[in-house]
Amino acid sequence: MLTQAQKAERRTGIGGSDLAAICGKSPFKTSLEVYMDKVYGDATEDKMTLRQRMGHYKEPIIADLYHEQTGYPVLHPENMYRHPEYNWMIGNIDRFAVLPSWQKIIVELKSTNERMSYLWGVAHYSIVTNIPRVDIAVLIGDADFRVYTYERDPELEEKIILIEKNYWINNILARIPPEPTTSQDISRLYPQHSPEKKILVNE
């Protein structure tokens, strides 16, 4: 789990999982939830689903499987990364691996087969670190292990930079929340209208 300092640092920019939510590609979080966390410090990291928790617990196992399959040494990053020019772009990398050529690559560790939802996130990490290759190590159903590779896509990365810049300036800095997309979003944005809110009437 993240420390309070790490959580606070995450609120100073947009990460890979934030981008997936902003683009409507995350099964865990909406664009409005990203906004509420960055602006008001909602403890989204403390509200992980069981699926997210299990994925977190399996990361060391998936890293070992990746090392066994590729033979590449695997390193655990110690710090959060930030793009030197686009300072709203941050990244917490799962692992690095070192190729025989001594080139360092990013390794993302996943325990599902929804690999397309990770494409934008891994491209984000590639931009932040300026590392051209990301390996996505995926454990599927605890019975199948695969490694997919992302190579840098300049056209996609231009779109990502523009999306994040617009969101950071027009939503986060301007304090204008994005449109709600779920009933839970509506309850968070307009708590006074939530059907769960009890109304007390003086007699």
Side-chain angles (χ1 to χ4, degrees):
M1 302 294 289
L2 297 176
T3 66
Q4 291 301 317
Q6 289 172 321
K7 291 175 185 178
E9 190 175 20
R10 278 194 171 191
R11 296 186 187 109
T12 66
I14 297 173
S17 60
D18 295 329
L19 173 63
I22 292 167
C23 296
K25 303 294 184 181
S26 172
F28 306 116
K29 188 164 51 174
T30 67
S31 180
L32 180 65
E33 286 179 302
V34 173
Y35 172 88
M36 299 294 282
D37 183 42
K38 305 300 180 185
V39 174
Y40 299 110
D42 282 11
T44 54
E45 291 295 334
D46 294 333
K47 302 175 183 177
M48 289 196 300
T49 64
L50 178 60
R51 179 180 170 188
Q52 288 175 294
R53 288 169 59 192
M54 292 305 296
H56 177 74
Y57 296 147
K58 290 177 182 178
E59 283 189 2
I61 298 173
I62 300 171
D64 287 343
L65 291 171
Y66 176 83
H67 172 67
E68 291 173 8
Q69 179 166 311
T70 64
Y72 303 151
V74 177
L75 310 174
H76 200 301
E78 296 181 357
N79 302 310
M80 187 187 77
Y81 291 81
R82 187 182 299 274
H83 193 282
E85 179 179 357
Y86 311 124
N87 65 354
W88 66 85
M89 299 187 74
I90 59 176
N92 287 276
I93 310 302
D94 287 343
R95 299 291 191 278
F96 288 115
V98 181
L99 305 183
S101 64
W102 296 102
Q103 177 189 4
K104 186 166 68 173
I105 65 173
I106 297 170
V107 181
E108 282 293 293
L109 309 173
K110 305 299 179 185
S111 56
T112 179
N113 60 356
E114 298 173 358
R115 64 189 178 96
M116 288 308 295
S117 65
Y118 305 133
L119 178 60
W120 290 55
V122 298
H124 168 95
Y125 297 133
S126 192
I127 299 169
V128 171
T129 61
N130 196 32
I131 293 177
R133 171 176 163 180
V134 182
D135 277 359
I136 310 167
V138 186
L139 179 61
I140 303 172
D142 293 342
D144 186 13
F145 178 73
R146 304 180 188 182
V147 177
Y148 303 97
T149 297
Y150 167 80
E151 301 283 356
R152 296 195 75 166
D153 181 339
E155 184 176 349
L156 173 62
E157 293 183 7
E158 286 181 7
K159 292 179 181 178
I160 288 172
I161 292 170
L162 182 59
I163 289 170
E164 293 192 17
K165 179 179 180 180
N166 287 338
Y167 186 85
W168 190 253
I169 293 175
N170 299 327
N171 295 111
I172 303 301
L173 297 185
R175 295 298 191 264
I176 299 175
E179 290 294 322
T181 57
T182 66
S183 58
Q184 289 82 4
D185 274 358
I186 294 173
S187 295
R188 290 166 67 86
L189 193 58
Y190 307 108
Q192 67 273 24
H193 299 300
S194 173
E196 299 177 356
K197 184 178 179 64
K198 296 180 180 179
I199 301 176
L200 301 178
V201 179
N202 293 325
E203 297 182 359

